[in-house]
Amino acid sequence: MIDAARVGEAKTKALRARFETLGWDSVLIIDGPVVDVGFARAAATAEGRCAAAAGRHVYDILRRDTLVLTREAVQLLEARLK
């Protein structure tokens, strides 16, 4: 779990380097209802993907090696499952 899916600058190279540092080759990052536009753009062309919590399918999760949830996504999922 990460606090938020945000980047200082929407640069794919910087995000890809961050993913490599964390050991994330194929990652799905699920954020809250609104995804940071800069992060989504950088992740779309990097070795990963960022998506809003709503509308995620099991197939989306199974296609990736790593699933990362933001704190907001966890709170939304917990509320939905209660």
Side-chain angles (χ1 to χ4, degrees):
M1 180 170 66
I2 57 176
D3 286 330
R6 308 281 184 265
V7 291
E9 57 179 330
K11 299 289 184 182
T12 301
K13 184 176 181 178
L15 188 60
R16 189 175 295 156
R18 183 186 251 172
F19 285 174
E20 287 178 15
T21 300
L22 295 168
W24 297 347
D25 288 327
S26 175
V27 60
L28 173 64
I29 300 172
I30 298 180
D31 201 354
V34 179
V35 177
D36 178 67
V37 175
F39 187 88
R41 284 185 186 149
T45 54
E47 294 294 323
R49 185 170 161 206
C50 181
R56 293 300 92 204
H57 301 283
V58 173
Y59 179 72
D60 294 329
I61 296 168
L62 294 177
R63 286 181 43 196
R64 304 294 176 173
D65 295 332
T66 305
L67 172 65
V68 178
L69 303 173
T70 64
R71 189 171 306 280
E72 187 176 5
V74 170
Q75 292 169 348
L76 289 171
L77 291 172
E78 284 177 339
R80 188 174 178 186
L81 295 174
K82 285 185 180 182

